[in-house]
Amino acid sequence: QVQVVESGGGLVQAGGSLRLSCTASGLTFHTYHMGWFRQAPGREREGVSCISSYSGSRITYADSVKGRFTISRDNAKNTLYLQMNGLKPEDTATYYCAAARGGWCSRSNEDNYWGQGTQVTVSS
C-alpha cells in the first residue's frame, strides 16, 4: 500500500521560510518522478515544482516560485523536500506531494499517488 505523507507546513510572516518534507512508502521511491502542488481556496490545483526520478537531474518550477523555492530529493530516505524562501501571502495554500504514476508533473488525480496535504499560511 502506497503512503505519501507531507509535513512542515505552518504559519509564517511574509519574507520568511519553510521547508516541506514528503515521505513516500510502499513504492520504489527512486524510480518515481515526484512533485509539489498547491491549492488555494476557490482555485484550481497548480503545479509548484517537479523533479525527475533517480538523480533528479530534471527540475521544473512554476514561474511564480522560481528563484524562491528549491525542490530536492533524498532517495536513501525516501523523502522529497521543498525549501521555500521569500514567502509571499499569495503562496498561502494547501501543499500536496505527489508520486507520479505516469507522465510528468500532472495535476490529475489518476496520474499520481497523493499525500493528504500540509497547510502553508503566509501573513502580510
Side-chain angles (χ1 to χ4, degrees), residues 12-122:
V12 64
Q13 289 188 333
S17 298
L18 284 173
R19 188 175 83 154
L20 305 184
S21 298
C22 165
T23 302
S25 60
L27 50 74
T28 308
F29 180 80
H30 68 276
T31 69
Y32 280 76
H33 300 326
M34 299 293 296
W36 289 100
F37 298 78
R38 67 186 181 187
Q39 188 167 20
R43 303 189 65 176
E44 291 187 353
R45 183 185 296 164
E46 64 172 344
V48 175
S49 181
C50 293
I51 186 168
S52 58
S53 56
Y54 296 95
S55 67
S57 58
R58 179 186 180 188
I59 288 175
T60 58
Y61 293 100
D63 288 343
S64 59
V65 307
K66 280 181 182 176
R68 300 188 297 123
F69 290 10
T70 303
I71 192 172
S72 61
R73 65 189 298 158
D74 185 336
N75 292 332
K77 296 181 178 179
N78 284 13
T79 301
L80 177 74
Y81 300 101
L82 185 68
Q83 178 66 44
M84 305 187 294
N85 298 329
L87 282 161
K88 303 176 181 180
E90 52 262 45
D91 294 317
T92 295
T94 301
Y95 283 71
Y96 297 91
C97 173
R101 301 173 66 177
W104 169 258
C105 224
S106 168
R107 296 178 295 169
S108 168
N109 285 334
E110 292 75 22
D111 288 343
N112 296 287
Y113 295 110
W114 294 95
Q116 81 290 346
T118 186
Q119 179 66 37
V120 172
T121 303
V122 184

